[in-house]
Amino acid sequence: MPRDIEMQTENVKPILSVRNLSIWYGDKQVLRDLSFEVKQGQVTAFIGPTNSGKSTLVRCLNRLNDFTPNFRATGDILFRGVAMGAASDATALRKQIGMVFRKPIPFRGSIYENVAYGAQISGNNASTHLDTIVEENLRKTGLWSEVENILGETPEQLSIGQQQLLCIARALAVEPEILIFDEPCGELDPIETVKIETLVRELTEDYTLIFATNKRRQAARVSDVAGFLYCGELIEFGATEKIFTNPQDDRTEQYVTGRLG
Amino acid sequence: MNAMMTRALRKQERVSQCITFIILGSVGIPIWNVLQKTYAADTEAASAATPLNTLSPPLDNLYTVLSISFVAILFGIACAFYLQEWLPQTNWVRRFIESIVAILGGVPSIFYGILATGIFFSYAGTLKTIGVVRAPQGPGDGAALESLSFPHDTPVFYIVVLTFILMVMPLTIKTTQAALRSVATPIREAAYALGASHWQVLKTQVIPIALTQILAAGCRAMSSALATVALIFGIYVWQYTDAPGEMSNRFVLFLSSALLFSIFSSILIKLCTSASADPAHPTR
């Protein structure tokens, strides 16, 4: 597989570098001195038990934590070599780094309006252009055939899995470079989970993906690179195969074998 | 990162926030003036035609009720948006105003009536001499003031306005803030994650969801204020004016138009809510 070769080559350009990132909520430190790099075109997964800081970490990467009260961070996050934060434009950044949440959150309005939302807020209002965007992105997620005839209706009648696919289509319509998944299958049944996982594998051709999950096997199935977070520390970060078959740290081994967490 | 945000940027943001707030707040005053002028012109023309004279007192009162409530509620909503959406929770201005609102909102509305009759009436003369309450200047001005539903030589009209604003504002601020808070954070975050700016999130997600609640909040504040204040004033005027018969008549009209307005608005709200309240679309 070409992707494996790419993974092994060390000189793939990092799209996102995190250096010495520490995060506090008030006085409570949630993440301790994290440093890692996300390479372009790979799936990077973060595994770890509940409350290990996975969500906090991935929410930092597109600055969603800015809205959290008492949030404080030190360290640098570099997107394409440019530090985010300081004077950078968070709105523009979030257009390049999209996010899919644990629970599907369809907006008010029709399925069509949901997918077109990103384009509309960017000032793209030509209806022919919007039609193309909606169809293209629904096709990418494989939802097009199911919703083709009910585009004008509300997304509430879709199943939870379909709603999650709709949310992915909505995030893709903004044309991001990186897409963050924060436990996207947390509320889904096994069949729908398989759909999402298959989609994630397909999306790696065009996007860089970051995946936070507390399901070990899921991380093993979808990711190229994995990081194990435990109590706010990045215990181990490396190729998924290595993390799951030959972990360096005791705690990682205990976690992947199911003795911890 | 929050901590890394430069000071200059923050200052810039503060200034722009202040300007927006002042613009929003001052919008009400010109509207009020324009309405008053058109109204004065209208009544002058109307008083010339004899058959319309009989219609004017109820219309007077309805006009007063509508315009006061419009200005007070608009200002209250603007205040609530500013507090809830732009000021951080730890800001001292926000905490200060919120505590005042909480106290004023908890005061039974009858005390506002007592306050109005007690304080504002006693100090009406002083208010007039220092120029807060305007004395009529010249015949034209006097006519314009006289055409209002309350006689210009008693500052009842201004007292009604002041009491109204004092009473309607805290209730409106409190309930509008609650309506804005009821829009769940995940919806906002989902919109932010798609690259929407603060204004776009407000415009496309928050306001559509909270709108009916905000309108209902305004009407609720209105109704409670009207009921008590009008009653207290009715009693006062019936007791103390030189021409009790005529005045109580006017206040009965004031009260009834207020009642009419609150019934009408609550029906309107009910209709709006049932039309937009999609069972599949709860206000998460």
Side-chain angles (χ1 to χ4, degrees):
Chain A
M1 278 170 82
R3 270 163 30 74
D4 288 335
I5 298 160
E6 193 182 68
M7 202 181 78
Q8 283 155 11
T9 48
E10 286 297 314
N11 51 7
V12 182
K13 217 171 76 188
I15 191 165
L16 208 60
S17 330
V18 176
R19 290 178 195 157
N20 306 98
L21 181 72
S22 295
I23 289 170
W24 288 265
Y25 288 137
D27 292 333
K28 193 185 165 213
Q29 189 167 9
V30 211
L31 292 180
R32 287 161 215 275
D33 203 20
L34 264 57
S35 298
F36 61 88
E37 281 180 346
V38 174
K39 304 237 165 98
Q40 192 157 7
Q42 291 184 343
V43 182
T44 308
F46 289 99
I47 51 171
T50 325
N51 276 336
S52 55
K54 306 184 294 291
S55 288
T56 306
L57 173 62
V58 294
R59 282 162 60 89
C60 259
L61 302 180
N62 65 350
R63 289 185 61 185
L64 261 189
N65 270 336
D66 285 12
F67 305 108
T68 316
N70 298 327
F71 167 79
R72 197 157 54 85
T74 58
D76 288 317
I77 303 176
L78 280 78
F79 175 59
R80 292 201 177 284
V82 182
M84 53 174 82
S88 74
D89 181 3
T91 311
L93 179 83
R94 291 191 200 107
K95 281 180 184 157
Q96 290 168 305
I97 306 180
M99 188 156 187
V100 176
F101 298 85
R102 176 190 172 96
K103 200 177 166 188
I105 308 152
F107 292 151
R108 286 164 66 92
S110 63
I111 295 173
Y112 182 96
E113 283 165 357
N114 262 278
V115 184
Y117 185 83
Q120 269 170 339
I121 56 169
S122 310
N124 243 330
N125 278 321
S127 63
T128 46
H129 183 59
L130 283 186
D131 287 348
T132 334
I133 288 179
V134 171
E135 186 178 340
E136 190 186 312
N137 289 294
L138 283 173
R139 274 190 201 284
K140 265 186 207 166
T141 54
L143 201 62
W144 176 250
S145 57
E146 292 164 51
V147 299
E148 196 177 358
N149 298 319
I150 51 164
L151 281 176
E153 289 169 38
T154 56
E156 255 69 20
Q157 55 182 301
L158 303 176
S159 73
I160 294 276
Q162 285 174 320
Q163 284 183 22
Q164 191 64 294
L165 286 172
L166 178 71
C167 288
I168 296 174
R170 188 174 70 188
L172 291 177
V174 190
E175 292 171 12
E177 291 179 50
I178 302 178
L179 196 56
I180 299 170
F181 289 84
D182 187 5
E183 290 192 39
C185 308
E187 308 246 328
L188 310 186
D189 65 35
I191 297 170
E192 290 168 334
T193 304
V194 170
K195 267 189 193 170
I196 302 269
E197 282 175 15
T198 323
L199 177 64
V200 167
R201 292 311 314 178
E202 283 166 9
L203 288 176
T204 47
E205 287 171 19
D206 301 320
Y207 304 91
T208 306
L209 303 175
I210 296 170
F211 206 93
T213 178
N214 55 11
K215 294 175 186 160
R216 310 169 183 90
R217 284 155 198 274
Q218 188 174 47
R221 283 192 296 267
V222 299
S223 67
D224 304 314
V225 177
F228 172 56
L229 274 167
Y230 186 67
C231 295
E233 280 176 62
L234 189 60
I235 306 289
E236 204 167 339
F237 188 81
T240 305
E241 213 184 307
K242 205 176 146 211
I243 293 268
F244 279 89
T245 54
N246 185 23
Q248 300 299 305
D249 195 284
D250 277 353
R251 285 167 291 183
T252 317
E253 195 189 345
Q254 284 175 357
Y255 183 75
V256 296
T257 51
R259 275 177 287 156
L260 181 80
Chain B
M1 308 291 103
N2 253 3
M4 296 178 210
M5 200 171 184
T6 52
R7 247 159 216 225
L9 230 103
R10 252 188 230 173
K11 204 175 229 173
Q12 220 174 14
E13 229 173 62
R14 268 302 134 71
V15 171
S16 61
Q17 282 166 7
C18 287
I19 292 169
T20 327
F21 189 47
I22 291 165
I23 290 170
L24 280 176
S26 55
V27 156
I29 296 158
I31 289 176
W32 171 253
N33 277 333
V34 168
L35 279 176
Q36 212 172 19
K37 270 181 196 147
T38 19
Y39 171 78
D42 277 359
T43 37
E44 263 167 28
S47 59
T50 335
L52 279 175
N53 262 357
T54 47
L55 269 179
S56 64
L59 287 180
D60 281 2
N61 289 300
L62 192 64
Y63 159 77
T64 313
V65 172
L66 280 173
S67 46
I68 296 172
S69 52
F70 183 69
V71 174
I73 289 177
L74 209 71
F75 196 75
I77 291 174
C79 264
F81 264 89
Y82 180 68
L83 288 180
Q84 186 66 29
E85 296 293 333
W86 276 278
L87 287 183
Q89 220 149 15
T90 46
N91 187 291
W92 70 270
V93 176
R94 179 172 168 177
R95 279 189 297 179
F96 181 68
I97 295 180
E98 276 180 352
S99 59
I100 287 182
V101 162
I103 293 166
L104 286 182
V107 173
S109 46
I110 194 159
F111 287 106
Y112 286 98
I114 293 167
L115 174 86
T117 45
I119 297 177
F120 291 155
F121 267 76
S122 330
Y123 291 101
T126 326
L127 287 179
K128 206 185 262 180
T129 47
I130 60 168
V132 174
V133 176
R134 197 163 53 109
Q137 290 142 9
D141 205 20
L145 275 173
E146 204 142 40
S147 61
L148 294 168
S149 40
F150 307 102
H152 72 272
D153 49 343
T154 53
V156 178
F157 175 75
Y158 296 97
I159 292 162
V160 171
V161 174
L162 285 176
T163 318
F164 243 84
I165 289 171
L166 204 63
M167 204 170 163
V168 168
M169 284 266 293
L171 261 173
T172 321
I173 291 176
K174 207 169 145 187
T175 31
T176 307
Q177 271 193 302
L180 290 175
R181 261 197 300 269
S182 77
V183 180
T185 330
I187 295 182
R188 291 166 188 259
E189 280 181 352
Y192 278 126
L194 293 172
S197 64
H198 194 163
W199 264 115
Q200 284 168 331
V201 173
L202 278 183
K203 206 173 72 185
T204 56
Q205 302 299 328
V206 177
I207 294 177
I209 293 172
L211 188 65
T212 40
Q213 279 189 61
I214 292 172
L215 286 180
C219 282
R220 228 187 73 195
M222 273 295 305
S223 324
S224 70
L226 280 170
T228 329
V229 176
L231 194 67
I232 293 289
F233 278 132
I235 292 165
Y236 176 83
V237 174
W238 177 67
Q239 279 268 295
Y240 296 105
T241 43
D242 294 339
E246 193 202 347
M247 283 311 291
S248 64
N249 227 351
R250 277 172 179 268
F251 273 104
V252 168
L253 283 170
F254 176 78
L255 201 64
S256 53
S257 51
L259 198 68
L260 198 77
F261 173 67
S262 36
I263 292 172
F264 174 72
S265 56
S266 52
I267 291 172
L268 204 75
I269 297 281
K270 257 286 191 296
L271 285 175
C272 282
T273 329
S274 59
S276 68
D278 196 335
H281 248 299
T283 345
R284 275 165 280 206

